[in-house]
Amino acid sequence: MPTLRLPAAEREGFAAGFRIISPLLPAIFSWGLVTGVAMSKSVLTVPQAIGMSLMLYAGSAQLATLPLFAAGMPLWTILLTVAIVNLRFVIFSAALQPHFSYLSLPRRIVLGYVNGDLGFVMFMNQNFANGYVPGKEGTYFGITISNWAVWHVSSILGIMLGALVPDSWGLGFAGTLALIPMMVHTITTRSMLLAVTLASVIGLLAFDLPYRLNLVLGVVGALAAGMVCDELTARHARKLSGGQR
């Protein structure tokens, strides 16, 4: 049975593309999760929300159409809104044309479908020459397919999560849950962990204060804790360096 094998340069390019986009995948996951939760709390059913996500693959356009669906606007208005919001992809396509004009129409259609804002920017930053370059197509698909896959996994997960959260809890609660992965990803140092922990504790203890002052106090406490922790760490490092002289 014959097997499809990509050229080595394209396989290496695909792996390189994944490495290029990988630092942004947690943020993409969180954004997809939030979008999925918002869609599940709209007038769309779960199957409709999943179908819309798979076909449209454009977070900003998806969110822009939700109020229109809720207001019962005519279909032409919704389609026009999607077209206007996604006009930037015409510019993206024009910029990609010199790179992939030699490909067949079906392959260019696939290439256009998996394209996205971050994928386009990350690919263009590689400064490939126009025309055919070994590994260039693989790099493009490594970037964009990774983005596409993470987006849809997180979006569908958000749709399912939002469907499980009772409406009485509100969309804000579900959105907060969806943002947790992004917050956890940003905790890379002890001072940051201390700041997040202190902000959470202060926010909970001062929850009953008016005008959302608990959020202000939490932010101030987090900044103070982070600055103190960084200063103590710097002093400790200076002592260690002084003792080694």
Side-chain angles (χ1 to χ4, degrees):
M1 184 182 213
T3 58
L4 177 63
R5 289 186 60 84
L6 296 174
E10 303 305 329
R11 296 198 302 271
E12 294 172 0
F14 190 94
F18 174 77
R19 290 193 296 270
I20 291 168
I21 195 70
S22 58
L24 299 177
L25 293 181
I28 294 170
F29 184 91
S30 298
W31 176 229
L33 203 61
V34 171
T35 302
V37 170
M39 292 178 67
S40 71
K41 291 302 180 184
S42 67
V43 296
L44 300 176
T45 65
V46 170
Q48 288 172 341
I50 293 175
M52 180 182 180
S53 179
L54 291 172
M55 288 189 294
L56 193 55
Y57 182 43
S60 54
Q62 290 170 224
L63 293 176
T65 58
L66 295 182
L68 303 182
F69 279 116
M73 300 298 290
L75 182 59
W76 70 267
T77 304
I78 297 174
L79 294 178
L80 180 61
T81 301
V82 171
I84 293 173
V85 172
N86 286 338
L87 272 177
R88 67 191 185 281
F89 286 101
V90 177
I91 301 174
F92 294 171
S93 298
L96 291 172
Q97 191 272 343
H99 291 283
F100 299 113
S101 59
Y102 63 91
L103 295 176
S104 64
L105 179 60
R107 287 173 71 177
R108 281 184 280 132
I109 290 175
V110 174
L111 181 147
Y113 169 67
V114 297
N115 188 25
D117 298 271
L118 288 177
F120 171 78
V121 171
M122 300 302 287
F123 172 78
M124 296 301 291
N125 284 343
Q126 305 311 304
N127 297 317
F128 284 107
N130 294 339
Y132 173 75
V133 176
K136 180 169 69 173
E137 186 181 357
T139 302
Y140 175 86
F141 280 115
I143 294 172
T144 56
I145 290 180
S146 300
N147 189 346
W148 178 89
V150 171
W151 170 267
H152 283 304
V153 169
S154 60
S155 181
I156 293 174
L157 182 61
I159 292 170
M160 303 303 295
L161 173 65
L164 294 175
V165 174
D167 292 338
S168 59
W169 292 10
L171 180 60
F173 177 80
T176 301
L177 292 180
L179 288 172
I180 288 177
M182 180 182 292
M183 182 187 70
V184 172
H185 176 70
T186 62
I187 301 175
T188 56
T189 63
R190 290 182 179 179
S191 60
M192 200 170 295
L193 176 60
L194 176 62
V196 170
T197 302
L198 187 60
S200 302
V201 172
I202 293 175
L204 288 174
L205 293 177
F207 183 79
D208 292 328
L209 291 178
Y211 308 113
R212 300 283 184 176
L213 289 177
N214 61 318
L215 300 180
V216 177
L217 293 177
V219 170
V220 172
L223 290 173
M227 293 173 62
V228 171
C229 188
D230 286 340
E231 178 62 25
L232 292 177
T233 301
R235 289 182 181 181
H236 182 65
R238 287 195 294 268
K239 287 182 179 180
L240 289 178
S241 61
Q244 293 174 354
R245 292 175 184 172

